[in-house]
Structure formats: C-alpha cells, structure tokens
Amino acid sequence: MTGGYLLLVADLIGVAVFAASGASAGVAKRLDLFGVAFAGFTAALGGGIMRDVVIGAVPPLAFADWRYAVTAVAASVAVFWLHPALHRMRRVVLVLDAAGLGLFTVTGTLKALDAGVPAVGACLVGMLTAIGGGLARDLLTGEIPAVLQREIYAMAALLGAVLVAVLHRLSLTGLVPLTIAATLITGVRLLALYRRWSAPVAVP
Amino acid sequence: MTGGYLLLVADLIGVAVFAASGASAGVAKRLDLFGVAFAGFTAALGGGIMRDVVIGAVPPLAFADWRYAVTAVAASVAVFWLHPALHRMRRVVLVLDAAGLGLFTVTGTLKALDAGVPAVGACLVGMLTAIGGGLARDLLTGEIPAVLQREIYAMAALLGAVLVAVLHRLSLTGLVPLTIAATLITGVRLLALYRRWSAPVAVP
Amino acid sequence: MTGGYLLLVADLIGVAVFAASGASAGVAKRLDLFGVAFAGFTAALGGGIMRDVVIGAVPPLAFADWRYAVTAVAASVAVFWLHPALHRMRRVVLVLDAAGLGLFTVTGTLKALDAGVPAVGACLVGMLTAIGGGLARDLLTGEIPAVLQREIYAMAALLGAVLVAVLHRLSLTGLVPLTIAATLITGVRLLALYRRWSAPVAVP
C-alpha cells in the first residue's frame, strides 16, 4: 500500500466517523432520512469544504471526489437504521472521533501550508478543518456548538496544528513525523476525556 | 424571445418566489423591514451563492448581476406590505415554489457540470443550489431547517439532478430535455405535497 | 505615518472592537475560553472572510495576515478576564462599534469595486463585510441576528456603501472623501442610537 492510498483510507474512516456523529445528532432531533444523511454529510465534510473554499481549492474535495460523499452518506444511512447499536459502542466512537480530529487537523494544516497560507493562518485553517463539520452539524440541529462550550477538543487540534507548522518549517513532512503529530492530538483529546479536563468559563 | 432571455426571466421568477418565502418567514418572526429584505435575499440567492463559491465562479451571480438582488429585495418588500394576501394565495405560492425548485436544480447542476465538477458532486451542488437558500433562511430565523425534517423536497431535487447529469452525459442539454427534467422535479414535489408523502424517521 | 499604515491601525482597532462584542456574547452564553475566543474571532473577522471568499481574494486576509487573528484573539481573551469593566464602558464600546461599522463598510465596498464587482453587488458586499461578523456571532450563540430585528445599523452601512460607490465612480477615492463616508456611517448609526430610530415591523 502506498502512502497516498493509506492516507485516502484513513481519510475515509475519519469521514465515516464524523458522518456517524452528524447522523446521530439528526436521529436525536427526529430528522427524516434525508435530514439525517444531510447532517452526516455536513458533519463529515463541512470542515473540509470550509478549508478548500478558504484556500481556493475549488471544487472542494467533497464534490470533486465521489468517494467522500458516498462514504459520508453510507455511514449516515447505516446510523439511521442501526443507531441503538451505535449508542452501545459509544466508547469506540469517541476513540475514532479523536482519531478523526487528529487526522483532519494534520491534513488540513498541511494542505493550507502547501497552498501558501502563512503559518498562523494555516494553523487556524487546520483546526477549522477538524472542528468545522461539528460546528455546522450543531448549527443545523439548533444547538450552540458543543466545541465552544466544554472539554478540550479544539485546543488539542490547535496545539497539533502548531506542531505540524513547525515540522513543515523543518521540512519534516514525511509519514512518520505527521503520524506522530496526529497521534499526539488524538492522545491529548482522549486524555482530556479520561481526566475530564475542561477549559475555564468566565466568572459572571 | 431567445433561450437565454427566457432562462433569465424564469430564473428571476424563481428568485422572486423564493424571496417571498424568506420574507414571509421574516415577517412571522417579527423582523424589521431590513431583516425581512435580508431574509428574502438569503432565501432567494443563498443557494446560488453557495453554488458559485463552491465552483469558483466569483463574484457570484447574486453580486455580479444587479437584476437578481433587485428582484429579491423588491419581492421581499412587497411581502412586507402585502403578506396577508400572500397567505390567501398559499396554493399558488406552493406551486411556484415547486417550479423554482425544479428550475434551480437544473441550472445549478448544469452550471456545476460545465465548471468541470464530476457527476456525483455536480448533483449535490445542483440540489444545494435549490435547497441552500431555504436552509439559510431557516437558520437565520432560528429554526431547524424544514427541508431536513419532513416531506419530499430535497429528494425530488436530487432525483432531478441525477437526470440532468445523465442528459448531460448524452449531450442532451437543449431546452426541451432540460425543461422536461425541471418539470419532472416540480411534478414529483407537487405530487408529494398532494399525497402527503414523507421520508421515514428513525425508530427511537 | 503613511496612509497604508494608518489604515492598518484603524482596521485592527475595528477588529478589536468587533472581537470584544463577540467575546461578550460568548461570556454571556457561558462559553469556555476557547468558545469566547472563537466567538470573538468570528465577530471580528467573519464579515471580512465572507467578503474575501465572495470576491475571490483567497486566502482571506484573516488567514493571510497574522496580525488580524492575533488582535481578535487578544481582545477576546482580555474580555474573558475583564468583562465587568467592559459593561461599565458600554457607551465607549457603542461608539467604537459604530466607528468599526463605518470603517468596515468603506474598506469592504472599495475592495469589492477594485476586484471588479459591479456597483450594486459591491454595495451589498460592503454592507456584508460590516454586518457579517455580527450575524455569524449571533448564529453561533443561538440567537436570531440582532441586525435583522431592530435599530438602524445595516441601513446606515448600506447608505454609506452607496456613497462610496458614487465616490469611486467620480474617482474620489483619496483618504479625505473616504474618511468623510466612514464618518457619515458612524454618525448616522450614533444618531439612530441616540434618537432611538428603528426600522418598521410588518403589521401582523
């Protein structure tokens, strides 16, 4: 398996997991089958669409490569029928979600850097790639985005994006250093979940 | 009348009808005159703006051709003053809305295909052109988008977009086959309304 | 000080003030530190990002020039810690916000005209530059956008945008006429606040 093929497979697993999170939110809000698929598509591919629009890579990958849309819709339809099982697997889902966070941050930051976005902006774009889908999912289903309210989620992504920018500056963009960066993001996220770390809220 | 002129007139009628739906929602939420015009503009032109941004056709038609913005705002202001009459005409409005759905799907899908978006992506872009404005209208007015919750609306658009992609592959993109495609979408939508068809909702 | 440097400083002051408005909304909604910073970033830079995406100036300034993001985040974090003081200074904040409205409208309209957007579209883009951040802030925090509901805010921006388009047509785009246009928008906004002017709401 080549690196490119490996990356595609990893990317599609991330898409499926994020789609499942969107579809679950849609089921909980009593959306119909189309609504559940749309919420899943948005959660999985919304962040990548934002990234591609912002860096000028149009049409975005979500529309240019049919495998992304088909994966997102298939995962969403599966959740529509099988959501009680998903609830029982929620520990697995949280781990996969953390893996998706790490992966999307690394690929998003790298894509922005390669498109010529300066380092600070590229870190923001990388983080947005990872959290944008969840943001859009929450807005679609009438919720204040969870990522703004609690837990260490976006901060783990931002930290990892900075690491990717440093690695890029040092020309260390091979598979090994990038895998380490993604794993670090995933690890920080899981540790924060396990230890119930959360960001401070302002004193009223 | 040439085909181009005919298309422009049809397009502007679609814009006016979708603007009326947005303006009505704005009136119902007690928005002020500016808010009603903005909700109308968004409902009418939001889908086309998303389409143009995603396919890289900037500035979007909504900003490049003043007739679109002026039509949307004029229709919205008319609704602001005349909304009780609109309520009495709601059957006519539903028929015109279904016609707008058909037209926007066909032109959106075709524009995406002509911009080089592959078939699956172009179908999604075509559907988004038709439902995007309504989605944005509902988010602006604090509602979970209606298109995600009930009735056959987006599915009719998606079905029609697939037909357009097939016609495009067969080089059948003359006025007659495209009109048939738009009419089919409109017909499916109206039939679904009449027969009260709806998409399934997940078992809790 | 050159004109370009002066403009940058003015722009960053506008960014800081708009970020403070977003951060305040975030504190009021009990968002965590990241959420407050994100709401501030969105309020400050959301309008400019919409402008740049729509006119094809990618990556948007918010990602291309680190000073914008750093200013927005620094102002947001300051509000997170100091928000009671902000409440006491709310008259000052309203004046600065009106100044930001004037400035962002003028630079947004001009940027759109320079990018080749026709006059009507450029006025809409200019207005969107000024109100887009506030719109996005309200959507993020689960509110129907305030700008659609009450007071003369967007109308002042639109009026000023039309003036900028006229000045541009007359080739009067020096610092003096543009400063007059920005001051006019700010003045109309403050007068509307002082006199409690508001736009009409439809009769039910």
Side-chain angles (χ1 to χ4, degrees), chain C residues 67-137:
Chain C
R67 292 172 292 196
Y68 285 80
V70 166
T71 302
V73 170
S76 301
V77 171
V79 167
F80 184 83
W81 298 114
L82 308 170
H83 62 97
L86 197 76
H87 185 69
R88 284 193 300 274
M89 301 182 341
R90 65 184 178 282
R91 276 160 177 279
V92 178
V93 171
L94 280 173
V95 172
L96 285 172
D97 182 84
L101 184 76
L103 181 72
F104 282 20
T105 302
V106 171
T107 55
T109 308
L110 217 56
K111 236 185 151 174
L113 288 165
D114 285 342
V117 181
V120 171
C123 291
L124 294 173
V125 171
M127 184 192 71
L128 199 63
T129 306
I131 72 168
L135 268 170
R137 171 202 64 204

Side-chain angles (χ1 to χ4, degrees), chain B residues 124-137:
Chain B
L124 294 173
V125 171
M127 184 192 70
L128 199 64
T129 306
I131 72 168
L135 268 170
R137 170 202 66 203

